[in-house]
């Protein structure tokens, strides 16, 4: 079956350029320095941020800036088929390194020399766009921890349907087989791309179309994340907020 | 899992416990507020979320149809504990594996008998097919007393578990095929005998339950006890379902000392009686909670958004 029906809708009723609903909660856990929970459709991620703190391994310490340590973990019950191990496989290590590079660009690392910031993501339910959801929840948790950043890192994924049509924010049924998928993260939903990951083969004529649509999707995601952080700050300092209106995208 | 306390802080906590007062105002046999929710995950056959104070556990039960020689198959639950790094940076990578193995070994031992889950025999479908139940626990936040939370959560998740009914047909050469019926019916496990855990801890001369993280740092030794309820009908082998079921006692399915230090026999017996008293209250409260769940108001699938 194809991703898009002949009437122009996807299987879950979205148009190709529409992202899924984002539900969030900041400050889930009090023991972490920052924590966030994000639902992007049926993909549910929990993130905790610890730090900046003094690293225990002196060899990793950098004199001029802090180091970012990310961990990506999938719960064994998060997929329909049970996973044997939550982390340690090649894909989770690759995702962790990609997230580290993205956050290193956004966080003002030179403010914290000889320090370490830990970002731990736990995927509770998997329904596609895992890397994008982890980057989004990580940036919410970093904002909750009060880590200064150049802007919120917003990530979105984009698949190329046959014929070069771009579908953003793919779910697990669209992430199948040989469909090319691009995950892009930008700062503040603008032009600076801090992460790009492409799976499967993509014709070069379709690349700019997919990239443009993915960047537009990150702008949509960024407006949701910005509203989330703004609502959380207003609630924290006692200002009235439109929490129920702004919660869903 | 690690709190740095000075000696003066430890002395304060131990003296308070010996006086019957704890740092958060509880008595020796008091639990922190416990929140249990079931049906919190859509990708599992059964799921539960348990919070004791700040300790937070997420439990999922998955049923897989496997092909085995059921004559030699070990028909038991399969426990896996994942200490998420969300709880503490010490759990990053493989840091929490030792604690996770300790927890899963305790759960394995407590459930390793034919009494606690009589429906396990229904998991055997044919001489070569069986359901295999995986119970996966994710430790999201750790503020002490993880074993009690794991016991509560596993019972709640098993109560929530739904397994599809299947049709077993004989095939050629002595083999069997498995089909799904059209009406898509499910059956649930009988969890009336599932054990609950209690951890009784020695602080100085005091014996307390539900220790927080700071109290764990002052604990000399702990005893983990798993207790399954026992009913009159079991003793009399009464097959009459009309007989009123009354709780008459309990069966200890697991007991283990954790941490160093020695224990006198008198102290151990006193800790066992304290544990039995606490676990009876836990059983009654959990059974009441699981029967009174209101799905429409609580929205369990959105448990982290509340």
């Amino acid at each position: 079956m194809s991703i898009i029906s002949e009437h122009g809708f996807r299987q879950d009723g979205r148009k190709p350029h529409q992202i899924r609903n984002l539900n969030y909660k900041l400050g889930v856990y009090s023991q972490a320095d920052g924590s966030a929970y994000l639902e992007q459709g049926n993909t549910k991620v929990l993130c905790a941020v610890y730090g900046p703190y003094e690293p225990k391994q002196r060899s990793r310490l950098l004199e001029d800036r802090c180091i970012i340590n990310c961990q990506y973990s999938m719960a064994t019950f998060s997929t329909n088929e049970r996973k044997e191990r939550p982390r340690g496989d090649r894909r989770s290590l690759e995702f962790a390194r990609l997230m580290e590079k993205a956050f290193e660009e956004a966080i003002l690392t030179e403010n914290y020399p000889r320090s370490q910031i830990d970002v731990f993501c736990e995927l509770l339910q998997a329904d596609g766009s895992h890397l994008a959801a982890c980057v989004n929840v990580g940036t919410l948790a970093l904002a909750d921890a009060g880590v200064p950043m150049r802007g919120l890192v917003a990530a979105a994924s984009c698949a190329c349907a046959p014929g070069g049509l771009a579908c953003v924010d793919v779910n697990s049924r669209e992430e199948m087989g040989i469909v090319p998928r691009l995950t892009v993260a930008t700062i503040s939903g603008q032009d600076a791309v801090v992460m790009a990951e492409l799976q499967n083969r993509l014709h070069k004529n379709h690349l700019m179309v997919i990239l443009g649509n993915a960047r537009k999707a990150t702008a949509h995601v960024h407006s949701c994340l910005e509203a989330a952080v703004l609502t959380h700050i207003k609630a924290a300092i006692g200002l009235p907020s439109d929490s129920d209106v702004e919660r869903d995208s | 899992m690690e709190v740095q306390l000075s000696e003066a802080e430890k002395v304060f906590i131990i003296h308070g416990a010996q006086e019957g007062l704890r740092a958060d105002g509880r008595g020796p046999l008091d639990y922190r507020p416990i929140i249990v929710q079931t049906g919190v995950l859509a990708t599992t056959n059964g799921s539960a979320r348990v919070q004791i104070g700040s300790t937070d556990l997420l439990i999922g039960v998955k049923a897989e149809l496997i092909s085995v020689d059921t004559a030699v198959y070990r028909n038991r639950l399969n426990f896996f504990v994942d200490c998420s790094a969300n709880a503490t940076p010490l759990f990053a990578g493989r840091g929490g594996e030792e604690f996770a193995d300790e927890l899963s070994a305790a759960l394995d031992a407590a459930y390793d008998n034919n009494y606690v889950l009589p429906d396990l025999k229904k998991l055997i479908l044919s001489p070569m097919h069986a359901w295999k139940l995986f119970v996966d626990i994710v430790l999201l936040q750790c503020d002490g007393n993880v074993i009690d939370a794991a016991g509560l959560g596993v019972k709640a998740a098993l109560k929530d578990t739904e397994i599809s009914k299947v049709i077993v047909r004989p095939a050629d050469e002595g083999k069997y095929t498995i089909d799904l019926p059209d009406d898509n019916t499910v059956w649930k496990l009988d969890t009336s005998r599932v054990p609950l855990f209690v951890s009784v801890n020695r602080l100085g001369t005091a014996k307390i339950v539900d220790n927080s993280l700071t109290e764990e740092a002052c604990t000399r030794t702990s005893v983990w006890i798993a207790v399954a309820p026992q009913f009159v009908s079991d003793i009399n082998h009464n097959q009459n379902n009309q007989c009123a079921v009354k709780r008459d006692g309990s069966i200890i399915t697991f007991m283990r000392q954790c941490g160093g230090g020695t224990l006198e026999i008198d102290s151990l017996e006193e800790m066992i009686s304290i544990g039995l008293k606490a676990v009876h209250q836990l059983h009654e409260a959990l059974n009441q909670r699981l029967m009174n769940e209101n799905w429409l108001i609580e929205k369990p699938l959105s448990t982290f958004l509340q």
Side-chain angles (χ1 to χ4, degrees):
Chain A
M1 78 189 96
S2 178
I3 294 181
I4 303 184
S5 68
E6 69 250 26
H7 304 290
F9 289 99
R10 300 203 241 168
Q11 293 171 39
D12 48 8
R14 288 184 285 147
K15 289 285 196 172
H17 63 276
Q18 287 175 332
I19 62 173
R20 292 176 289 181
N21 279 354
L22 264 75
N23 292 318
Y24 71 94
K25 186 173 173 61
L26 291 165
V28 185
Y29 292 128
S30 55
Q31 282 180 301
D33 294 318
S35 59
Y37 169 78
L38 184 69
E39 291 179 2
Q40 219 169 304
N42 276 326
T43 301
K44 304 181 178 182
V45 204
L46 201 55
C47 182
V49 167
Y50 290 89
Y53 68 98
E54 186 181 0
K56 291 180 169 51
Q57 300 172 359
R58 286 294 195 270
S59 56
R60 302 186 57 193
L61 186 143
L62 297 176
E63 289 291 330
D64 57 333
R65 54 193 168 90
C66 76
I67 53 180
I68 312 291
N69 178 44
C70 289
Q71 178 174 286
Y72 170 86
S73 183
M74 276 179 89
T76 50
F77 46 71
S78 60
T79 51
N80 282 330
E81 299 292 323
R82 185 183 178 269
K83 284 190 56 164
E84 277 301 316
R85 287 195 308 162
R87 59 189 158 270
D89 54 313
R90 186 193 59 83
R91 182 177 140 109
S92 64
L93 294 179
E94 179 188 350
F95 278 10
R97 298 289 91 78
L98 285 167
M99 289 166 61
E100 280 175 14
K101 294 301 178 187
F103 289 135
E104 273 173 22
E105 287 301 315
I107 295 172
L108 304 177
T109 52
E110 59 271 10
N111 285 13
Y112 304 105
R114 296 183 298 277
S115 299
Q116 174 173 330
I117 297 178
D118 288 340
V119 182
F120 299 126
C121 287
E122 183 86 25
L123 190 74
L124 302 180
Q125 192 173 321
D127 193 34
S129 298
H130 307 150
L131 179 55
C134 284
V135 170
N136 293 332
V137 76
T139 200
L140 284 180
L142 286 163
D144 186 51
V147 176
M149 294 187 282
R150 291 179 173 85
L152 294 174
V153 187
S157 64
C158 191
C160 181
L165 195 47
C167 303
V168 302
D169 199 14
V170 291
N171 58 29
S172 59
R173 300 184 69 175
E174 294 159 350
E175 275 187 0
M176 52 180 182
I178 59 172
V179 176
R181 302 187 291 276
L182 176 71
T183 302
V184 159
T186 62
I187 296 182
S188 302
Q190 292 169 9
D191 286 348
V193 173
V194 293
M195 186 187 76
E197 188 228 13
L198 176 65
Q199 291 182 27
N200 298 325
R201 295 195 294 176
L202 178 70
H203 197 282
K204 65 175 182 178
N205 290 349
H206 297 156
L207 177 61
M208 295 312 293
V209 176
I210 301 299
L211 192 54
N213 279 270
R215 275 197 18 241
K216 281 189 202 133
T218 61
H220 290 147
V221 172
H222 177 262
S223 61
C224 299
L225 300 182
E226 195 178 34
V229 174
L230 200 62
T231 303
H232 184 67
I233 292 174
K234 283 179 174 177
I237 64 180
L239 286 184
S241 68
D242 312 315
S243 172
D244 292 323
V245 177
E246 286 176 350
R247 170 167 294 192
D248 294 343
S249 65
Chain B
M1 282 295 297
E2 187 178 286
V3 171
Q4 303 291 334
L5 293 185
S6 70
E7 289 300 311
E9 285 170 308
K10 290 183 179 178
V11 166
F12 176 80
I13 291 175
I14 292 174
H15 285 186
Q18 289 173 172
E19 293 289 332
L21 278 174
R22 292 154 82 168
D24 47 11
R26 290 182 284 144
L29 303 187
D30 291 341
Y31 270 79
R32 289 169 288 178
I34 302 175
I35 302 174
V36 177
Q37 282 176 296
T38 58
V40 296
L41 297 166
T43 53
T44 55
N45 295 82
S47 57
R49 182 188 178 197
V50 182
Q51 294 163 276
I52 299 185
S54 290
T55 298
D56 197 338
L57 266 74
L58 196 59
I59 295 99
V61 179
K62 270 187 178 290
E64 283 187 12
L65 200 58
I66 55 172
S67 299
V68 285
D69 188 357
T70 53
V72 298
Y73 173 57
R74 181 181 173 269
N75 190 17
R76 293 283 184 256
L77 301 182
N78 301 268
F79 290 96
F80 176 77
V81 179
D82 174 26
C83 291
S84 171
N86 283 35
T88 168
L90 300 175
F91 288 160
R94 308 170 64 95
E97 278 192 8
E98 184 178 326
F99 183 61
D101 289 342
E102 193 176 346
L103 277 176
S104 56
L107 288 156
D108 271 334
Y111 282 81
D112 193 7
N113 53 75
N114 289 322
Y115 176 79
V116 296
L117 271 175
D119 286 340
L120 279 186
K121 62 177 90 70
K122 292 168 72 174
L123 300 179
I124 306 288
L125 301 170
S126 75
M128 57 184 293
H129 291 106
W131 285 112
K132 188 173 185 180
L133 288 189
F134 294 95
V135 185
D136 300 316
I137 299 168
V138 176
L139 174 61
L140 295 172
Q141 198 80 168
C142 183
D143 191 20
N145 201 19
V146 177
I147 188 64
D148 289 35
L152 289 163
V154 167
K155 176 162 185 173
L158 290 173
K159 177 78 175 180
D160 185 55
T161 298
E162 295 175 343
I163 300 173
S164 297
K165 286 188 179 175
V166 293
I167 301 172
V168 185
R169 301 188 209 273
D172 298 337
E173 300 175 2
K175 291 184 169 30
Y176 293 83
T177 57
I178 304 287
D179 288 318
L180 277 179
D182 293 333
D183 50 355
N184 202 19
T185 53
V186 295
W187 58 279
K188 295 175 88 89
L189 295 161
D190 174 22
T191 57
S192 55
R193 300 178 185 175
V194 167
L196 289 184
F197 278 80
V198 68
S199 168
V200 190
N201 312 277
R202 283 288 304 268
L203 273 79
T205 59
K207 305 172 186 64
I208 64 170
V209 298
D210 187 27
N211 49 338
S212 63
L213 211 57
T214 52
E215 285 158 351
E216 271 186 8
C218 311
T219 295
R220 184 192 302 162
T221 186
S222 304
V223 172
W224 290 0
I225 308 170
V227 180
Q230 191 184 39
F231 300 104
V232 173
S233 55
D234 293 334
I235 301 176
N236 300 332
H237 301 286
N238 194 338
Q239 302 300 320
N240 189 357
N241 291 328
Q242 307 300 321
C243 175
V245 175
K246 176 191 167 188
R247 179 161 302 175
D248 189 42
S250 47
I251 295 177
I252 295 178
T253 62
F254 170 80
M255 187 187 300
R256 180 180 169 191
Q257 180 189 353
C258 299
T262 57
L263 277 173
E264 294 281 342
I265 293 295
D266 293 344
S267 295
L268 182 60
E269 286 171 359
E270 192 176 341
M271 288 165 88
I272 292 169
S273 63
I274 287 172
L276 291 179
K277 197 184 309 176
V279 87
H280 280 155
Q281 296 173 11
L282 278 185
H283 269 299
E284 287 170 12
L286 183 62
N287 290 335
Q288 197 171 20
R289 163 64 179 163
L290 292 177
M291 277 188 289
N292 288 338
E293 277 195 288
N294 197 329
W295 284 70
L296 295 180
I297 295 181
E298 294 186 13
K299 295 182 185 176
L301 283 176
S302 305
T303 176
F304 288 99
L305 294 172
Q306 298 158 12

